[in-house]
């Protein structure tokens, strides 16, 4: 047995180990059937949201993410949602349409889930211009998570 803080898992340790290190690269398929890679993104700050179409807190974050997506210029900020549970591109496109968002929606593969230690949803990774992971946020709490994400983005854009 090992002693650790209640609610803290090995997955949390792996995510913490990614903090202040270069984000693992990837190339994933978008809901509109295009390949997108992290290396292709040119914005100064990138927010990755690992999400699931069946996740309540993930759906609750959509209004904030839509707002955030339109708040910044694309040269400064790019938001990418990565779907972790559905393997059907039509389901991704339907989810986008049903929730009326226009930010990029990608389909995860096993490698990206393993490299980012994704075991629960949502998980947010904020990357700087050099693609160093500067913040990892597990879960979504309206208001608190919004403020933390916005604060981190603004700090990186200074």
């Amino acid at each position: 047995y090992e002693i650790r803080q209640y609610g803290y898992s090995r997955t949390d340790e792996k995510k913490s180990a990614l903090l202040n290190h270069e984000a693992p690269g990837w190339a994933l398929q978008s809901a509109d059937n295009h390949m997108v890679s992290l290396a292709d993104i040119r914005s100064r700050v990138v927010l990755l949201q690992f999400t699931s179409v069946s996740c309540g807190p993930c759906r609750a974050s959509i209004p904030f993410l839509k707002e955030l997506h339109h708040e910044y210029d694309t040269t400064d900020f790019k938001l990418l949602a990565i779907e972790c549970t559905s393997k059907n591109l039509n389901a991704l496109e339907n989810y986008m349409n049903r929730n009326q968002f226009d930010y990029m929606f990608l389909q995860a593969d096993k490698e990206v889930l393993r490299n980012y230690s994704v075991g629960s949803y949502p998980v947010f990774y904020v990357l700087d211009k050099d693609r160093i992971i500067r913040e990892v946020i597990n879960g979504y709490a309206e208001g608190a998570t919004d403020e933390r994400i916005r604060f981190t983005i603004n700090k990186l854009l200074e």
Side-chain angles (χ1 to χ4, degrees), residues 26 28-31 48-56 58-59 62 80-96 98-99 101 103-113 118 120-123:
W26 45 259
L28 301 171
Q29 202 163 17
S30 68
L48 302 177
Q49 178 205 30
F50 289 91
T51 186
S52 170
V53 295
S54 60
C55 163
C58 300
R59 277 193 304 278
I62 291 173
L80 300 133
I82 301 174
E83 166 56 37
C84 300
T85 57
S86 177
K87 302 299 176 211
N88 182 330
L89 287 179
N90 288 335
L92 272 66
E93 190 172 12
N94 290 338
Y95 185 78
M96 281 181 75
R98 192 171 53 251
N99 291 289
F101 64 82
Y103 48 86
M104 196 165 292
F105 200 33
L106 306 171
Q107 187 174 47
D109 60 22
K110 288 179 183 176
E111 184 180 356
V112 77
L113 296 176
V118 177
S120 61
Y121 318 103
V123 180

Side-chain angles (χ1 to χ4, degrees), residues 18-95:
L18 290 170
L19 201 59
N20 297 317
H21 289 85
E22 188 172 349
W26 45 259
L28 301 171
Q29 202 163 17
S30 68
D32 60 356
N33 207 19
H34 291 91
M35 289 304 288
V36 177
S37 75
L38 181 58
D40 294 337
I41 308 300
R42 299 288 172 227
S43 303
R44 289 172 50 204
V45 175
V46 175
L47 174 64
L48 302 177
Q49 178 205 30
F50 289 91
T51 186
S52 170
V53 295
S54 60
C55 163
C58 300
R59 277 193 304 278
S61 72
I62 291 173
F64 166 70
L65 295 175
K66 288 196 298 193
E67 181 182 306
L68 201 60
H69 173 66
H70 292 285
E71 191 171 312
Y72 297 94
D73 185 78
T74 56
T75 58
D76 288 332
F77 175 76
K78 184 76 171 178
L79 165 61
L80 300 133
I82 301 174
E83 166 56 37
C84 300
T85 57
S86 177
K87 302 299 176 211
N88 182 330
L89 287 179
N90 288 335
L92 272 66
E93 190 172 12
N94 290 338
Y95 185 78

Side-chain angles (χ1 to χ4, degrees), residues 128-157:
D128 70 11
K129 63 180 174 42
D130 298 317
R131 299 307 173 246
I132 305 298
I133 297 170
R134 296 299 178 190
E135 185 73 83
V136 179
I137 302 166
N138 294 299
Y140 181 75
E142 188 177 347
T145 304
D146 304 353
E147 287 176 27
R148 190 166 161 198
I149 290 171
R150 191 173 272 122
F151 174 81
T152 305
I153 292 168
N154 291 334
K155 188 172 171 88
L156 292 173
L157 290 175

